């Protein structure tokens, strides 16, 4: 089974802090994604990556950056956390195999509170 | 552009009754459609998908979904609901005609409550 892990389940940070959210997958997937989930808004894509050192902006990239130095690891960075970034953050991965690219496997999520 | 609508924020159903969670979509090309489920304090789990072929798709935990091109719908169904089916359900779509991007667009989610 695919396993996607996220470094923290719960995180509390102060406004202005730099925040790192880590995601690791163990199935050698090429594609990795970061979403945020907010009540009434569903999932919104922040950034995604098709390969090492490659990144693409999603629908809401403002205030975020990402890093993919190794295939299995995709990091989300909040350069200066703000209260409106309080949310649930979900990481996902998928293989670059025709017919399977869209089937994404999700981690358990990180619930971030910015005070 | 691609979009998904889940018209019901919440669906309540009695245990043992059939359940339906509605989803409609909009894409310019061929739709690839997905259902995911999220149990409390967990990530999303893949349930089923429609890419091509039979309009009725069967997935995990006894769920199925019917692709209806004329109504641009992909409703999730189960013949007999269980209390353990209580969760948040997300429909997602991708325009299968597009090249390159594997980006999914998710609906806002429907909370299913199965009442004992």
């Amino acid at each position: 089974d695919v396993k996607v892990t996220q470094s923290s389940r719960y995180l509390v940070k102060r406004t202005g802090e730099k925040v790192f959210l880590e995601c690791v997958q163990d199935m050698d997937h090429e594609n990795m994604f970061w979403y945020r989930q907010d009540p009434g808004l569903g999932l919104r894509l922040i950034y995604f990556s098709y390969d090492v050192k490659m990144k693409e902006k999603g629908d809401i990239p403002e205030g975020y950056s990402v890093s993919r130095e190794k295939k299995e690891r995709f990091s989300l960075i909040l350069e200066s956390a703000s209260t409106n970034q309080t949310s649930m953050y979900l990481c996902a991965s998928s293989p670059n195999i025709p017919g399977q690219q869209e089937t994404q496997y999700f981690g358990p999520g990180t619930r971030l509170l910015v005070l | 552009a691609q979009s998904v609508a889940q018209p019901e924020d919440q669906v309540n159903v009695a245990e043992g009754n059939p359940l339906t969670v509605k989803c409609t979509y909009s894409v310019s090309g061929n739709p690839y459609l997905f259902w995911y489920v999220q149990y409390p304090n967990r990530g999303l789990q893949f349930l089923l998908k429609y890419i091509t072929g039979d309009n009725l798709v069967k997935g995990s935990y006894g769920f199925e979904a019917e692709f209806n091109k004329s109504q641009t719908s992909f409703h999730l169904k189960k013949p007999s609901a269980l209390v353990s089916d209580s969760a948040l359900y997300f429909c997602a779509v991708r325009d299968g005609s597009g090249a390159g991007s594997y980006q999914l667009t998710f609906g806002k989610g429907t909370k299913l409550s199965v009442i004992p």
Side-chain angles (χ1 to χ4, degrees), chain A residues 9-10 31 33 35 37 40-43 45 48 50 58-59 90 96 99-104 106-109 111, chain B residues 9 32 34 36 38 40-46 49 51 88 90 94 96 100-109:
Chain A
R9 292 300 302 272
Y10 301 95
N31 307 318
F33 307 82
Y35 296 89
Q37 181 182 4
L41 297 177
L43 273 72
L45 183 65
F48 57 101
Y50 293 148
D59 298 320
L90 294 170
N96 195 20
Q100 295 186 34
Q101 297 103 329
E102 298 85 2
T103 302
Q104 296 182 15
F106 283 81
R111 192 170 292 279
Chain B
D9 292 335
Y32 290 4
F34 301 79
Y36 284 82
Q38 185 179 36
N41 299 314
R42 304 282 297 276
L44 274 68
Q45 295 179 30
F46 169 77
K49 67 180 178 183
I51 303 294
L88 191 55
F90 290 94
R94 181 211 154 190
S101 173
Y102 309 130
Q103 185 173 338
L104 296 180
T105 297
F106 286 84
K108 295 181 178 180

Side-chain angles (χ1 to χ4, degrees), chain A:
Chain A
D1 281 349
V2 176
K3 190 169 184 182
V4 180
T5 57
Q6 296 183 227
S7 51
S8 304
R9 292 300 302 272
Y10 301 95
L11 210 52
V12 180
K13 295 292 181 181
R14 297 270 178 204
T15 301
E17 281 192 77
K18 191 169 187 176
V19 182
F20 293 87
L21 303 182
E22 304 285 341
C23 175
V24 177
Q25 49 92 7
D26 67 357
M27 281 300 290
D28 202 36
H29 284 174
E30 288 78 9
N31 307 318
M32 296 189 74
F33 307 82
W34 273 108
Y35 296 89
R36 63 177 283 176
Q37 181 182 4
D38 300 288
L41 297 177
L43 273 72
R44 292 179 291 168
L45 183 65
I46 304 171
Y47 268 96
F48 57 101
S49 170
Y50 293 148
D51 203 348
V52 174
K53 296 191 184 296
M54 180 275 178
K55 60 185 179 184
E56 294 282 347
K57 292 180 179 179
D59 298 320
I60 52 164
E62 296 79 19
Y64 303 94
S65 62
V66 290
S67 172
R68 194 162 180 203
E69 296 297 318
K70 294 185 178 182
K71 190 175 185 180
E72 67 271 18
R73 187 180 298 270
F74 192 35
S75 301
L76 180 69
I77 303 155
L78 287 64
E79 295 290 343
S80 177
S82 63
T83 55
N84 62 13
Q85 292 179 310
T86 291
S87 186
M88 169 73 97
Y89 289 88
L90 294 170
C91 175
S93 71
S94 71
N96 195 20
I97 299 172
Q100 295 186 34
Q101 297 103 329
E102 298 85 2
T103 302
Q104 296 182 15
Y105 298 86
F106 283 81
T110 296
R111 192 170 292 279
L112 173 67
L113 173 62
V114 182
L115 300 174

Side-chain angles (χ1 to χ4, degrees), chain B residues 50-65:
Chain B
Y50 170 84
I51 303 294
T52 186
D54 289 342
N55 290 343
L56 186 63
V57 178
K58 294 186 183 297
S60 307
Y61 312 121
F63 284 93
E64 59 188 27

